[in-house]
Every structure is written in structure tokens, then in C-alpha cells.
Amino acid sequence: MVVLAASICTKGGKAVLSRQFHPMTRTHIESLLASFPKLIPTNSQHTSVETTQVRYVYQPLEDLYILLITNKASNILQDIDTLHLFARVVSDICRTADEREIQKQSFELLGAFDEIVSMGYREQVNLIQVRSVLEMESHEEKIQDIIARNKEAEAKEELKRRARQLELQRREQQKRAAVSGSGGSSYLGGGMSGYSPVPQRFDAPEVSAARTASPAPASSARTPPFKGSGMKLGSKKTRQAELLDALGGELVSEDLSAPPTPPIPEPSPVPTNTRSSLPSITAESVHIVIKEQISVSLMREGGVQSMEVKGDMNLQVSDPALAHIKLALPSPTTDFGSDLQFKQHPQVAKFAPGQNRIVALKDPSRAFPVGQALAVLKWRYSGRDESLVPLSINCWPTPSNDGTCEVNIEYELENENVTLHDVVISIPLPTGSYPSITTQCDYSINPATHSLDWSIPLVSTVERSGTLEFTVGGDDASMFFPVRVSFVGRGSIAGIGVDAVSRVDGGENPAFSVDAVVTTEDYLVI
């Protein structure tokens, strides 16, 4: 078969998009497309027409036609199969099959067309392979992004640490100045010439109530008749306050009317609990730990930009008498199909096609290690199927005419294999604006990111959905994205578990325990 061109045109013959695989002038291809609608017979079931020079193999695409222009010696059955693949690619890339959307996605479509046909001949590819090539994911690029984010986080932590040191130094200077200046002249307001070397208020028993000192910011704002160490301390305090404000209010200075306190040593970091509020599992002699991590980017208009699920299964045997065992996995309960890829430990037998999934050693005479965890199975899924998303998020900002925006956001559990705990949905807020919540919910304002953090303790099949509504200043709907979601869950998104554990020698089945945990890496609505 020789494909001369793949084109999308209107029913009047106007070219919307065309890719020529053999040298053809623009005038030639436009004339071929313009004459194509006139060749289609009325009330015909055929999907091909011929002229003296070429053959048209076509298929309706809503209000358009997608067609292949081939030579007359081409195999029409292969042409029809190639045309169907072109149509599926167009439907996969474009949300709607109209002229505006196709022109908007023209670059992606032309790249996909080149993957299907090369130099006029069909390549042995399918839709999944074309989609994988177009995504062009780079492992090295992901690593560089992680390194850049880590460096940025370290720089922020270093800035906060230095700010704490400056705050402690300022308090120590205030303490020393207060001790050295307690026997000197007191602070007097108005036009009096007496100055304290420290620009702050402290209690002096000899000063009457009528002559009580004003707050320190007012004293630091005055212009002194001479330069002294007290005024230098005041200027440092002002710059320090600006630094604290830039950090989002994490370090708040004490009331200046209170006596200075000695420096407080920084507490040692406390290790975080990745399980959060997940209930603990009592480990049996045969204990299986299943860990999954999901990274997904949902589009605000609907659909999935990218989704990746990675998981592993670890087996730990504490009783040597139970080391000769095999694990029976349940039948798949989700529609991942062949996109879910498995990888076994080199000593573990692979799954037999068409049979139940069994995790067992290749050599039945060998035993699993005792007293240490062994990763026996790993799996991975990468795709864009929206039906596999465990938690759907719908954020709907509606700008008003009064300069405010009404935001409705809702969630719903889509995967019944998991129960989610400690769900936090973070919605960015416009700079300087704070929301007015109209629904009852557990929320907080994160000063570091200036976002509204909506906390849901539990999302399960019983309580699977919820809604939050608030009003905030601002009329730009894009300011509320990206929405970030984090949670820790019980179960498996891919439906991986253990149905039974049995002895290889046919003895009594041992008791076993399974701890299945799901966490998020990046869960975004963009």
C-alpha cells in the first residue's frame, strides 16, 4: 500500500488539515480535496471512491471527513484499517471533532500521523504506542525537576533558619540594653530631650501614668537629634520585621511591652508519620505489605493529562516453618487491562497466562528468607484513562460583577478498592484575599502558600462525596489552580491483594496479615 496523503476536510471539500507522504504541491492536494465531495455517490454504503489517478478511502467525522488518498494499486483492506487508526487518534487527541479544535491540536495530530505512516507505508503501531510516543516522558527530566524542587526547599529552610538567628540576636541585644539602661534616664515623650539607648518601652516605677511611654514603633519612627546605638537597634528591628512578613508570618515577634526572653534553642525535628491516622495492622507470622503511590494531573475541563501508579509487594516471614509458601492473588477488579505491567523478583516465577496469579519461588525446594522483608512483586501503570482515577475533583470558579468569585469544589470517590484518610484539598487564593466559607467544613488558611486547605478525615464508600463553597475577592478563575490533593489510603488502586497463603507441601494454610497503603506523590488539578 502507498498512502499519498492523510487529510481532514469539510463536507464541502475545504482542507482543514492535511499531511502529504509523497511530494505534492498545495494546489494539487487542494484540488483533490475539492473534487472529493462531488465523487461521493448518494445513498451509498461504500467508504471509498476512485478516479483515474487516485483512490479516496474516507470516513465521516461528525461534520467533517477524514480520508486517505492512495494509489489505485493499494490494498484497500489495509487502507481501511489504517483509516480507522487515524480516526481513533483524532478522537483521542481532540476533545471534539470540529474545525477549531482540530486546528488547535494540529501540531499533535501531524506528529501522530507521521508515527502511523512513514514514506507512504503503514508502520506497525497501535493507539497506545502512538500515545506513548507523543507524551515523550523523560526520566532524566523528572529527576532534574525533583532536584530543583529540593534545592528550592533547602533555600527556604536556610532563610527561615537565618531569620530565627536574627530574631534571637535581636532579643539578646534588647535584654542587654535593658539591663544597661535601667539605671539611666527614662524615656520622656513630647519635646523632652531625654532618650533611652533602647528604642522600646519598659516599666519604670518613677514615671507617672500621664507620662507613660508610647509604643516602640512610634518611638522608632521619630527623627532623633543625634545618632546613637539605640537608633541603630531600632532600624535593625524594622528590617527584621520586614523579613518576618516576607516569610508569611511564621515567626511573630513578641509584644514589645513584655520583657525580653532568653534565646530558646531550636527543637530537634520530629520524624513524620507517613501512616497518619491509618489503623495499625497486627503482623502475623506471614506478613504482606503492599505499597502504592499515585501521581496524576487532572485537567480542569475534564480528562486526564497524565496518570502513573507504582506499587510493590513485600513479604516477611517470621517463622522458619512457614518459609515454603505461595501467595494467591485475587482476580483483577479494575479495568487496567494490559496497561498494568508486572515485574517479579528474579527468584519468583512469572504469572502464567490465562491462569490465577500466584506468587511463588521458581524452585519449590527453596524457601523465602526469614526475618527480613523481600520485595516479591512490583507493578506500574501509566495512561490517561479518566475512569481509573481514584478520587475525582471538580473545581468551578464563577466570577461575579462585583469583583468577587464564587468557588464550588466537590470530590467523589471513584475507586471502591480504597478508603482514603486525612484527605487535604488545597485551593490557591488570590493574593491579599481571604475566603468567606458558606458551607460547614474543616478548613484552614495556609500562610506559606496562601491557600485554603480543606481537610476531610475519611472518604469511603459510605461517605464518598462532599462539597465546599466559598466566596473570595478576585475575578480571575485561573488563580484557583492548580488544586493540590494529598491523602493516605487503605487498599490498592490497581486491585492487588492476597486472597490466600498456602504451603507448597500441601500442609495447613498459615495465618497471614496484609497491610495495603496508598499515598500520593503529585495529585493535581491543572
Side-chain angles (χ1 to χ4, degrees):
M1 59 173 289
V2 177
V3 179
L4 304 178
S7 307
I8 301 175
C9 67
T10 64
K11 293 191 175 180
K14 174 187 173 183
V16 178
L17 181 71
S18 181
R19 178 69 174 100
Q20 290 74 251
F21 302 104
H22 279 265
M24 299 176 67
T25 63
R26 178 173 178 174
T27 305
H28 188 194
I29 190 66
E30 287 181 345
S31 64
L32 289 175
L33 294 176
S35 60
F36 161 67
K38 304 173 185 177
L39 301 174
I40 301 176
T42 57
N43 300 325
S44 174
Q45 297 286 329
H46 297 289
T47 58
S48 65
V49 293
E50 295 183 359
T51 65
T52 57
Q53 298 176 344
V54 298
R55 175 189 294 150
Y56 299 91
V57 183
Y58 63 92
Q59 175 180 332
L61 197 66
E62 295 187 7
D63 293 334
L64 305 173
Y65 281 116
I66 180 170
L67 66 150
L68 301 181
I69 303 176
T70 69
N71 58 11
K72 297 183 65 175
S74 177
N75 187 328
I76 190 170
L77 296 179
Q78 293 182 1
D79 292 342
I80 292 175
D81 182 64
T82 304
L83 178 66
H84 290 167
L85 179 57
F86 273 101
R88 289 197 300 271
V89 167
V90 172
S91 301
D92 183 68
I93 296 177
C94 301
R95 291 178 296 177
T96 56
D98 56 21
E99 185 174 348
R100 178 179 298 180
E101 179 67 15
I102 289 175
Q103 290 178 348
K104 180 179 178 182
Q105 303 290 343
S106 58
F107 181 80
E108 294 288 335
L109 290 172
L110 291 175
F113 286 3
D114 286 342
E115 295 298 329
I116 300 173
V117 175
S118 176
M119 302 296 294
Y121 294 93
R122 163 75 183 274
E123 297 287 343
Q124 296 301 320
V125 295
N126 53 31
L127 177 61
I128 296 176
Q129 292 172 328
V130 173
R131 184 189 300 164
S132 176
V133 171
L134 293 179
E135 288 177 355
M136 295 185 294
E137 292 187 354
S138 172
H139 180 67
E140 289 77 9
E141 182 182 2
K142 290 183 178 179
I143 292 177
Q144 292 301 322
D145 290 341
I146 293 173
I147 293 174
R149 287 197 298 267
N150 290 340
K151 288 183 177 179
E152 184 179 354
E154 290 174 0
K156 290 182 178 179
E157 290 298 327
E158 178 66 16
L159 181 62
K160 294 176 183 178
R161 187 185 65 80
R162 293 185 179 181
R164 292 189 187 99
Q165 290 181 349
L166 291 174
E167 175 69 9
L168 296 176
Q169 292 175 3
R170 184 186 65 82
R171 292 179 180 177
E172 182 66 22
Q173 290 174 353
Q174 289 179 353
K175 180 180 179 181
R176 294 176 181 176
V179 173
S180 62
S182 60
S185 58
S186 61
Y187 182 94
L188 300 177
M192 304 299 290
S193 60
Y195 278 86
S196 172
V198 181
Q200 71 171 22
R201 186 185 68 186
F202 60 90
D203 295 332
E206 65 273 16
V207 180
S208 62
R211 299 172 65 181
T212 302
S214 57
S219 65
S220 62
R222 289 191 189 135
T223 303
F226 62 92
K227 294 183 178 180
S229 60
M231 298 313 296
K232 289 182 180 178
L233 285 175
S235 62
K236 287 184 180 178
K237 188 265 172 190
T238 303
R239 290 195 298 271
Q240 179 67 15
E242 294 175 356
L243 178 60
L244 295 177
D245 292 339
L247 290 174
E250 294 187 8
L251 300 174
V252 181
S253 298
E254 296 182 353
D255 187 357
L256 294 180
S257 61
T261 57
I264 301 174
E266 296 185 13
S268 58
V270 179
T272 57
N273 182 13
T274 57
R275 297 183 60 89
S276 298
S277 62
L278 278 183
S280 59
I281 299 294
T282 302
E284 298 287 349
S285 299
V286 178
H287 186 57
I288 301 103
V289 178
I290 299 174
K291 296 180 181 179
E292 277 187 345
Q293 190 175 58
I294 181 172
S295 177
V296 61
S297 294
L298 307 175
M299 292 182 286
R300 65 187 75 174
E301 298 89 356
V304 178
Q305 185 183 69
S306 63
M307 177 178 172
E308 183 181 40
V309 178
K310 296 181 292 186
D312 59 76
M313 176 183 293
N314 291 268
L315 171 64
Q316 182 168 359
V317 179
S318 58
D319 188 353
L322 304 176
H324 293 79
I325 56 174
K326 57 183 178 179
L327 313 180
L329 307 188
S331 302
T333 57
T334 55
D335 193 20
F336 283 90
S338 60
D339 292 338
L340 185 63
Q341 301 174 355
F342 290 93
K343 186 175 183 180
Q344 285 87 352
H345 187 278
Q347 300 297 330
V348 174
K350 297 185 179 298
F351 296 147
Q355 299 183 12
N356 295 332
R357 295 172 176 174
I358 302 296
V359 175
L361 293 176
K362 293 180 180 178
D363 185 359
S365 62
R366 300 187 62 178
F368 285 104
V370 178
Q372 64 180 20
L374 176 67
V376 295
L377 179 66
K378 293 183 179 181
W379 57 93
R380 178 180 179 271
Y381 166 80
S382 179
R384 299 168 60 182
D385 191 345
E386 190 175 9
S387 64
L388 303 179
V389 174
L391 185 69
S392 62
I393 305 293
N394 184 13
C395 184
W396 198 281
T398 305
S400 304
N401 296 327
D402 57 355
T404 62
C405 195
E406 182 179 335
V407 182
N408 290 270
I409 183 166
E410 61 179 356
Y411 68 86
E412 184 173 1
L413 182 66
E414 303 289 349
N415 192 327
E416 297 185 355
N417 292 329
V418 294
T419 300
L420 307 182
H421 296 256
D422 301 331
V423 181
V424 178
I425 303 176
S426 299
I427 308 101
L429 300 174
T431 304
S433 299
Y434 292 88
S436 175
I437 310 297
T438 57
T439 55
Q440 294 290 335
C441 66
D442 183 10
Y443 74 95
S444 62
I445 303 298
N446 190 334
T449 59
H450 192 61
S451 60
L452 187 150
D453 290 354
W454 181 19
S455 301
I456 305 102
L458 180 65
V459 178
S460 62
T461 55
V462 178
E463 301 175 353
R464 62 187 310 151
S465 62
T467 305
L468 171 66
E469 181 178 347
F470 64 89
T471 304
V472 68
D475 54 2
D476 185 4
S478 63
M479 294 293 292
F480 302 98
F481 296 93
V483 177
R484 297 182 178 273
V485 183
S486 64
F487 56 78
V488 58
R490 168 76 68 196
S492 170
I493 297 175
I496 306 298
V498 177
D499 273 352
V501 176
S502 58
R503 293 175 181 264
V504 176
D505 56 6
E508 183 181 356
N509 293 343
F512 68 96
S513 57
V514 179
D515 187 10
V517 180
V518 181
T519 57
T520 58
E521 182 178 7
D522 283 313
Y523 206 110
L524 305 175
V525 181
I526 57 177

